[in-house]
Amino acid sequence: MNTRPKNIFMIMFFSPVGVKKFLFFSASAAAFLFFNSPFCKAQDLASPKNVIIMIADGSGFNHFQAASLYQHGKPDRLTCQQFPVKIAMSTFPHENLGGDYDPQLAWEDFSYVLASLSTDSAASATAMSSGEKTENGVIGMAIDGSHLKNLLERAEDAGKATGIVTSVPFSHSTPAGFSVHNASRNNYEKIAQEMLLNSRLDVIIGCGHPSFHNDGSRKHSSQNYTYVGGENLWSALQDPSQKIGNDADGDGINDPWTFIESLPDFRSISQGDTPKRLLGVPRVNTTLQQGRKGDAHAAPYVVAMNQNIPTLAEMAAAALNILNKDPQGFVLMIEGGAADWASHQHQSGRMVEEELDFHAAVDIVYQWIEQNSSWNETLLIVTADHETGYLTGPGSGTKNEKPLWNELITNGAGTIPEMQWNTSEHSNSLVPFFAKGAGCQLYLQNIKGEDPVRGPYIDNTDIPKVISWEHHAPALP
C-alpha cells in the first residue's frame, strides 16, 4: 500500500540551544523511537489530505528555548517540543554545496557557523517547497533560471486548496518561495502581482497595507504600494465590482479575491461563512507587532501592543476555515516572519513576543487537527528556514582557544531569560524540525548525518520529498 502521508502541517523556527541539555541519539536509535511512536505507524499512512507548513523565520533551537523559558519557566515545554519526531535540519544554500554543514566543525570551532555560508529566506523557502537548492535571493527558480514546481503548485495539480499566512508582507521571501517564481526576492511588486493575478492560491493573508503605519495608525501621505502589487492593482482590489483574480480551480471561470482588512472580519471568517477566495491584509504596514513604536529593546509586552490587529493564530484560524471546505484537502504555509526581524536587531523582548505569537498559532493548528481532522490524515511540521543572531547563553564564545556554549539562563516564567547574541546576521546552524501526524516517520528515512549535539538531521530539501499526491490527482472533465 502507499506509505505517503495524507495530511501535512509544517511550522518553522530557528534558534541554537545549549549543549548540556541535549540527549544524544544515534540515527538508528532515533529511527527506532520514531517508527514505534503511536502517531507514526506505517499502517495509518496515505498521501496527505491536508498539509500545513508552519515556519518561524530566523528561529533556532535557542529561540525556541527562550519562548519556553519565558512562558513556562522551564525548557522544552512548547507544544511542538512534545511531537514524536524531534530532530534537526540543515539549511545551507546552493552556493555552499560541497561544504554544506560539517557537524564536527560546528562544535569544534565557535565561529564555524558564521564563517560557512548561510542561507537566506528566499533560498531556504525554495528548497523547502521544491526540494531543490538554489542561490540566495532567488524565489522558486533553479540556478539555470528554470522554474521549480513548489509544494503548493503540486497540491493544486492534485485538486487541493492552497494558502499562505504570514506576520510580515505577503510578498516577502518565505510566502513567495512557496507560491511563485522570481529571479529576485526584492521584486516585491512583481511577486505580489504574480500571487494575485497568476497563482492558484485560494488564501493570501499577510501584512503590507499601504495606508497604515507599523503602529496601526492611518497614513495621510507617502503611501507605498510595493508590497501589494502597485497602486493600480491595490485600488482595483478595493472595488469588488472589478472582480480582480484569475481562474484558480481550472473550470474556466474567473475566481475573484474577497478582500478584508478589519479585525472583526478576520474573526468572523475564522468561525462563520467563508468566501471562495480570500485576500486578508491587516491594518498595519510591515509586521503585526514587531515594528510598533516604543522602546524596541524593552522586556516583552512592556510597550503596549497594536490594537485592532489580528494575531497570527487568528489569521491561521481564518485560513483553515476556508481551506477546509475543499473535499480534496489543502496545503497551508504559516509563517511567523518577524522573529527574524527582531533577531537581526537583537531585540530580545520582541523576539520572545514573536516566538510566543508563533507558538500560539501552533497551538491553534494543533487543536484544529484534533477537533476537525485527525493525525491519521494530517501531518503537522514545525521548523525554521534558518537561524538568525547565533543566539546562545551568556558567556559563550572562544575561551582559552576552546569553544564554549552556555545555556540560556531562566529567570522564571514571565521574565525574559538571560541570553547572548553573537551576530546580527544569519548563521549556518542546524534548526529544529518537529513533525507529528500522517507520514511523520518518513522523515527518519532521510537522515543526512549525525550532529554531536543536535543528533540526527535532515536537509531542508527533504521536506517536500516525502509528500506525493500525483496518483490521486482528479481526472480532467
Side-chain angles (χ1 to χ4, degrees):
M1 65 180 293
N2 178 25
T3 59
R4 295 189 181 275
K6 182 180 180 185
N7 298 333
I8 300 179
F9 289 73
M10 182 183 304
I11 302 179
M12 301 184 75
F13 290 90
F14 295 79
S15 67
V17 280
V19 173
K20 297 178 183 177
K21 286 290 185 180
F22 278 88
L23 298 177
F24 290 73
F25 292 99
S26 67
S28 58
F32 174 83
L33 294 173
F34 186 82
F35 282 110
N36 285 277
S37 163
F39 297 102
C40 298
K41 295 296 186 181
Q43 61 264 30
D44 295 332
L45 302 179
S47 292
K49 178 183 178 183
N50 307 318
V51 177
I52 301 179
I53 299 172
M54 299 183 73
I55 300 167
D57 197 303
S59 304
F61 282 93
N62 275 336
H63 293 71
F64 278 37
Q65 293 294 47
S68 181
L69 292 173
Y70 184 90
Q71 188 168 32
H72 303 285
K74 296 180 180 180
D76 303 319
R77 296 301 177 92
L78 302 173
T79 297
C80 62
Q81 292 171 326
Q82 317 312 312
F83 284 8
V85 178
K86 295 180 284 189
I87 53 178
M89 186 176 75
S90 56
T91 64
F92 58 91
H94 180 273
E95 296 98 309
N96 223 22
L97 283 174
D100 52 56
Y101 173 81
D102 188 317
Q104 298 303 318
L105 284 178
W107 302 102
E108 293 174 357
D109 180 355
F110 187 82
S111 65
Y112 166 76
V113 296
L114 299 178
S116 57
L117 184 63
S118 58
T119 190
D120 75 343
S121 295
S124 185
T126 298
M128 291 187 291
S129 63
S130 71
E132 299 290 338
K133 296 284 188 183
T134 194
E135 298 175 339
N136 282 341
V138 176
I139 298 290
M141 297 175 67
I143 58 171
D144 64 2
S146 61
H147 286 196
L148 296 169
K149 180 168 285 191
N150 59 57
L151 187 63
L152 274 67
E153 290 173 317
R154 288 170 48 204
E156 291 284 357
D157 290 344
K160 297 180 181 295
T162 59
I164 59 165
V165 175
T166 180
S167 61
V168 297
F170 68 80
S171 54
H172 237 253
S173 294
T174 302
F178 273 83
S179 56
V180 297
H181 313 272
N182 200 284
S184 174
R185 59 178 289 173
N186 296 321
N187 292 332
Y188 299 113
E189 188 167 313
K190 293 294 185 183
I191 288 170
Q193 290 171 2
E194 184 177 351
M195 296 172 77
L196 293 166
L197 301 176
N198 301 112
S199 80
R200 292 177 285 172
L201 290 167
D202 299 284
V203 173
I204 298 175
I205 300 177
C207 300
H209 203 303
S211 300
F212 290 86
H213 295 286
N214 277 335
D215 63 358
S217 62
R218 185 175 289 276
K219 291 182 178 181
H220 298 291
S221 62
S222 302
Q223 296 188 9
N224 188 329
Y225 300 89
T226 300
Y227 290 132
V228 293
E231 184 174 3
N232 290 338
L233 177 56
W234 179 253
S235 297
L237 287 163
Q238 315 304 300
D239 181 0
S241 68
Q242 295 201 35
K243 300 185 182 300
I244 298 300
N246 63 314
D247 179 12
D249 55 14
D251 63 0
I253 301 173
N254 181 51
D255 298 306
W257 295 99
T258 295
F259 173 75
I260 65 169
E261 59 181 342
S262 73
L263 178 58
D265 282 345
F266 279 103
R267 290 176 172 171
S268 174
I269 287 179
S270 69
Q271 298 179 354
D273 295 334
T274 60
K276 182 174 181 179
R277 216 172 178 200
L278 177 72
L279 170 63
V281 183
R283 290 170 174 166
V284 70
N285 190 222
T286 59
T287 70
L288 295 178
Q289 298 291 347
Q290 180 270 337
R292 70 189 189 276
K293 292 181 178 179
D295 182 1
H297 294 277
Y301 308 112
V302 168
V303 176
M305 304 292 280
N306 286 337
Q307 302 300 312
N308 299 319
I309 303 297
T311 64
L312 185 64
E314 289 174 321
M315 298 193 304
L320 287 169
N321 196 34
I322 295 171
L323 298 175
N324 192 42
K325 300 296 193 296
D326 192 316
Q328 299 292 327
F330 63 85
V331 176
L332 172 62
M333 192 287 295
I334 303 171
E335 180 200 23
D340 174 68
W341 298 31
S343 296
H344 276 296
Q345 301 176 64
H346 298 175
Q347 297 170 345
S348 299
R350 295 205 176 180
M351 179 275 288
V352 169
E353 292 174 354
E354 293 300 323
E355 292 291 342
L356 293 177
D357 185 55
F358 176 83
H359 286 285
V362 174
D363 291 342
I364 288 295
V365 170
Y366 189 102
Q367 294 168 16
W368 184 92
I369 297 171
E370 298 224 317
Q371 296 172 5
N372 301 278
S373 180
S374 75
W375 296 108
N376 289 333
E377 69 172 11
T378 295
L379 170 63
L380 172 60
I381 298 172
V382 179
T383 186
D385 53 352
H386 58 77
E387 196 273 343
T388 300
Y390 197 9
L391 184 64
T392 65
S396 299
T398 301
K399 311 295 182 182
N400 298 322
E401 299 183 354
K402 294 183 179 180
L404 175 65
W405 289 270
N406 293 323
E407 298 175 348
L408 304 187
I409 300 175
T410 182
N411 288 313
T415 303
I416 195 166
E418 296 178 38
M419 61 183 73
Q420 174 179 307
W421 299 100
N422 295 285
T423 184
S424 60
E425 304 300 328
H426 300 174
S427 77
N428 194 29
S429 305
L430 295 179
V431 299
F433 179 90
F434 303 101
K436 180 174 180 175
C440 63
Q441 85 293 341
L442 296 176
Y443 288 102
L444 290 182
Q445 299 177 18
N446 289 273
I447 299 299
K448 294 296 184 291
E450 182 105 3
D451 186 90
V453 173
R454 308 302 186 202
Y457 64 90
I458 61 172
D459 186 65
N460 56 6
T461 56
D462 292 317
I463 285 174
K465 291 180 179 178
V466 303
I467 306 165
S468 176
W469 308 284
E470 280 74 9
H471 59 289
H472 286 305
L476 295 175

